[in-house]
């Protein structure tokens, strides 16, 4: 789990660097994209110690997240399909945070 | 019999409505529209009714044709502690709306109160008895004490169950701070057993007008640290829990008065067995 999580985090770092170096987006577009990316990356950082990510299903979610991140990197590098790829990363991040939120301890 | 269950889509509520339906009675799960209804969707004998207990009109509508109400809807800790006004509105005024709507319909009321109403008892000799004085120590316990009082004063046929913290045989993420001390006495109750207690309170006429403590029983009595250790060991997960520095409102309880309700079905080892099976299924063991 640790390896795929670190890979996903570093892939998103690379996406951010690539975006910052891109001259195609305007300043406000770039700011918006980076904010969305940072939010998706924060989901991983906030949940990296959660037990769910050590389960089979959790590892699969993490793997899907990693794949979406790689596609996003490809989209940034090729300059096409960026919005679609970023939305997919956000969807995968939400899947993880929703699953973990459902499993919070409740005391009556 | 047709039973309205407020909070009917939640962890305990969904179990209650399923048990009602499995007995051949019909249940109406009443809960906020925005909560997850997954657990009760498509269950035969269960009708879903989105609504809010603080809305008198919705509650009056919901109560039509109902023989009994199991009232679980409440704001729970830690959320209950961040907004006192909201906690009182949901937990006390919401209960008042239920009582008003029941009015003279003849429907009975089973109220899910909490052992939190006994306050912090860790420095006293265990177990906590049903007759122990009530002591509000936070918004949640204050709201439950007030709700109990208004039900008692209403004249509605009722049973009050002071329920211990609920244990679920599921992967529960470790919170930042465990809500009790490591060396504190704790006694939880398995969710299906708590649901069974609520149903027995409904069907056993001997229970009417009484108050019971509902907790797991002797095999569930241990310290907070033991509970957490055994729970996560069974799942197959190593954890580093951080316990509360303060004693909280969990203890060992005298459940003898409610034993005739026949709800203590699962001992703690049985619970651990379920967690072990789950740990294997999830690939944690």
């Amino acid at each position: 789990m640790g390896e795929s999580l670190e890979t996903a985090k570093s892939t998103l770092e690379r996406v951010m660097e690539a975006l910052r170096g891109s001259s195609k987006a305007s300043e406000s577009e770039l700011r918006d994209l980076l904010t969305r990316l940072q939010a998706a990356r924060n989901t991983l950082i906030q949940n990296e110690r959660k037990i769910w990510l050590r389960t089979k299903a959790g590892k699969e979610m993490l793997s899907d997240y990693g794949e979406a991140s790689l596609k996003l990197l490809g989209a940034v590098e090729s300059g096409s399909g960026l919005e679609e790829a970023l939305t997919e990363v956000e969807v995968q991040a939400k899947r993880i945070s929703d699953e973990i939120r459902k499993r919070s301890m409740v005391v009556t | 019999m047709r039973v309205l269950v407020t909070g009917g889509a939640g962890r305990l509520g969904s179990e209650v409505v399923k048990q009602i339906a499995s007995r051949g009675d019909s249940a109406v799960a009443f809960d906020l529209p925005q909560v997850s209804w997954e657990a009760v969707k498509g269950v035969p004998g269960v009708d879903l009714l989105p609504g809010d207990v603080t809305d008198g009109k919705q509650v009056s509508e919901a109560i039509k044709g109902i023989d009994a109400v199991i009232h679980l809807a409440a704001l729970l800790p830690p959320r209950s502690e961040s907004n006192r006004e909201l906690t009182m509105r949901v937990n006390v005024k919401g209960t008042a709306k239920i009582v008003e709507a029941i009015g003279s319909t003849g429907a009975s009321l089973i109220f899910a109160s909490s052992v939190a109403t006994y306050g912090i008892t860790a420095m006293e000799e265990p177990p906590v008895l049903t007759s122990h004085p009530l002591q509000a120590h936070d918004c949640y316990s204050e709201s439950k004490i007030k709700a109990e009082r208004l039900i008692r004063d209403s004249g509605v046929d009722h049973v009050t169950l002071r329920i211990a913290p609920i244990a679920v045989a599921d992967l529960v993420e470790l919170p930042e701070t465990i809500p009790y001390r490591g060396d504190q006495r704790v006694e939880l109750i398995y969710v299906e057993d708590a649901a069974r207690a609520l149903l027995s309170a409904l069907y056993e006429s001997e229970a009417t007008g009484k108050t019971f403590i509902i907790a797991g029983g002797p095999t569930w009595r241990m310290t907070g640290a033991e509970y957490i250790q055994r729970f996560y060991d069974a799942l197959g997960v190593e954890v580093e829990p951080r316990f509360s520095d303060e004693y909280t409102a969990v203890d060992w309880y005298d459940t003898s008065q409610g034993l005739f309700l026949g709800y203590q079905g699962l001992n703690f080892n049985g619970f651990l067995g379920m967690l072990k099976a789950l740990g294997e299924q999830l690939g944690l063991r």
Side-chain angles (χ1 to χ4, degrees):
Chain A
M1 184 272 281
E3 199 181 323
S4 54
L5 189 130
E6 289 308 319
T7 307
K9 273 162 55 180
S10 73
T11 304
L12 287 187
E13 273 294 326
R14 286 168 61 199
V15 172
M16 285 191 212
E17 277 169 31
L19 269 177
R20 284 188 195 107
S22 160
S23 57
K24 287 177 187 162
S26 71
E27 200 175 314
S28 67
E29 279 172 337
L30 182 63
R31 201 178 316 121
D32 177 50
L33 289 170
L34 287 172
T35 304
R36 288 169 63 189
L37 258 179
Q38 192 60 53
R41 190 169 179 272
N42 282 348
T43 299
L44 282 195
I45 294 167
Q46 284 158 7
N47 292 311
E48 61 188 345
R49 292 175 62 82
K50 299 295 185 185
I51 299 164
W52 176 252
L53 293 181
R54 301 179 220 173
T55 67
K56 276 189 286 196
K59 284 175 188 167
E60 278 169 24
M61 281 189 185
L62 210 46
S63 163
D64 292 345
Y65 186 106
E67 271 178 37
S69 305
L70 280 172
K71 277 187 192 157
L72 177 59
L73 183 59
V76 172
E77 285 170 350
S78 70
S80 76
L82 178 61
E83 178 58 36
E84 196 185 330
L86 177 54
T87 302
E88 182 57 23
V89 169
E90 290 173 320
V91 166
Q92 297 303 333
K94 189 170 183 304
R95 271 179 79 204
I96 291 173
S97 59
D98 284 353
E99 188 63 46
I100 289 169
R101 194 178 315 114
K102 272 196 306 197
R103 298 176 178 282
S104 61
M105 190 179 275
V106 173
V107 177
T108 53
Chain B
M1 184 183 277
R2 189 164 169 80
V3 185
L4 179 72
V5 182
T6 70
R11 272 184 185 160
L12 178 56
S14 58
E15 190 53 46
V16 169
V17 296
K18 284 176 197 165
Q19 288 190 18
I20 292 169
S22 73
R23 290 180 63 122
D25 284 327
S26 76
V28 181
F30 184 87
D31 214 320
L32 292 169
Q34 66 268 31
V35 303
S36 168
W37 289 78
E38 284 309 307
V40 287
K41 246 182 212 164
V43 179
V46 178
D47 294 329
L48 312 186
L49 183 57
D52 186 337
V53 289
T54 64
D55 184 323
K57 203 173 161 194
Q58 288 181 7
V59 171
S60 298
E61 281 298 313
I63 220 104
K64 283 180 185 164
I66 291 293
D67 301 297
V69 180
I70 296 182
H71 180 35
L72 308 176
L75 214 57
L76 304 176
R79 262 193 82 201
S80 57
E81 304 314 300
S82 59
N83 187 338
R84 185 177 183 281
E85 191 275 328
L86 182 63
T87 301
M88 295 303 152
R89 179 145 47 92
V90 175
N91 296 7
V92 184
K93 289 183 182 161
T95 302
K97 302 278 183 208
I98 298 282
V99 168
E100 278 167 34
I102 288 176
S104 56
T105 62
S108 54
L109 173 63
I110 312 299
F111 178 57
S113 184
S114 167
V115 292
T117 54
Y118 293 118
I120 316 292
T121 54
M123 303 309 285
E124 301 171 21
E125 196 61 33
V128 175
L129 305 175
T130 312
S131 57
H132 186 285
L134 303 186
Q135 177 64 55
H137 65 285
D138 59 9
C139 299
Y140 180 68
S141 54
E142 181 189 349
S143 71
K144 286 293 182 184
I145 292 169
K146 285 182 171 167
E148 278 194 22
R149 202 169 291 150
L150 78 86
I151 289 169
R152 201 171 50 238
D153 295 345
S154 71
V156 165
D157 275 351
H158 70 277
V159 183
T160 297
L161 301 186
R162 295 184 182 137
I163 303 175
I166 301 288
V168 290
D170 201 351
L171 193 165
V172 178
E173 292 290 349
L174 198 67
E176 211 168 290
T177 306
I178 304 286
Y180 33 79
R181 277 176 54 137
D183 61 354
Q184 183 177 335
R185 294 183 298 264
V186 301
E187 180 180 348
L188 281 76
I189 179 162
Y190 179 50
V191 63
E192 289 183 22
D193 288 348
R196 198 171 297 125
L198 287 155
L199 259 72
S200 293
L202 174 65
Y203 293 109
E204 290 281 347
S205 56
E206 201 188 317
T208 305
K210 294 180 183 153
T211 298
F212 302 99
I213 292 177
I214 301 300
T219 67
W220 287 79
R221 290 175 197 151
M222 57 198 81
T223 64
E226 272 181 275
Y227 178 76
I228 293 296
Q229 187 66 49
R230 293 172 76 182
F231 184 100
Y232 287 103
D233 275 357
L235 270 177
V237 182
E238 268 185 45
V239 289
E240 290 172 20
R242 182 177 178 278
F243 291 93
S244 165
D245 294 329
E246 308 286 334
Y247 285 116
T248 56
V250 194
D251 207 324
W252 293 351
Y253 301 97
D254 174 13
T255 53
S256 58
Q257 285 183 328
L259 281 184
F260 76 98
L261 296 171
Y263 66 90
Q264 289 176 345
L266 187 70
N267 66 34
F268 191 68
N269 278 335
F271 179 66
L272 292 180
M274 294 168 80
L275 288 173
K276 282 178 188 166
L278 178 70
E280 277 164 23
Q281 190 191 321
L282 292 173
L284 292 168
R285 293 180 68 86

